[in-house]
Amino acid sequence: MNEKHWDVQIDISENDDTTTAQATLATPADAQLTGYGEAHRNPHDPPAAGIGDELAAARALDDLTRQLLGVADQDVVRNARSGSGVGLA
């Protein structure tokens, strides 16, 4: 079995009613993708610890997922054209 390990780091910051998150994927081949997400608290809603973090992180991971799928799609096309294996590893 060939096992691989990829790391995703999520950095979250809060500024007033806005929470932002950055999800960065690093692969063993030193490829890196970064997704971004944001959450805004309605000023009329009471503060609720963690909800903004969860929403911003989920949105950053969703953005990262879309980017990774785009890379995979491009790699599939290149692989089909050239017959050689390419990718993030």
Side-chain angles (χ1 to χ4, degrees):
M1 175 185 275
N2 183 13
E3 294 184 16
K4 298 177 183 180
H5 179 85
W6 291 10
D7 290 312
V8 175
Q9 178 174 324
I10 302 175
D11 297 304
I12 299 171
S13 63
E14 296 178 23
N15 186 8
D16 296 324
D17 293 332
T18 301
T19 303
T20 58
Q22 183 174 318
T24 303
L25 169 68
T27 69
D30 292 328
Q32 186 170 316
L33 294 173
T34 301
Y36 298 93
E38 206 171 86
H40 303 274
R41 182 177 68 86
N42 183 322
H44 301 291
D45 290 341
I51 293 175
D53 294 355
E54 293 164 351
L55 286 170
R59 290 171 179 160
L61 288 168
D62 182 57
D63 183 32
L64 180 62
T65 298
R66 292 172 192 271
Q67 290 180 47
L68 186 55
L69 285 170
V71 169
D73 286 344
Q74 292 171 3
D75 288 346
V76 166
V77 170
R78 274 195 295 269
N79 188 53
R81 287 183 183 154
S82 69
S84 65
V86 297
L88 287 176

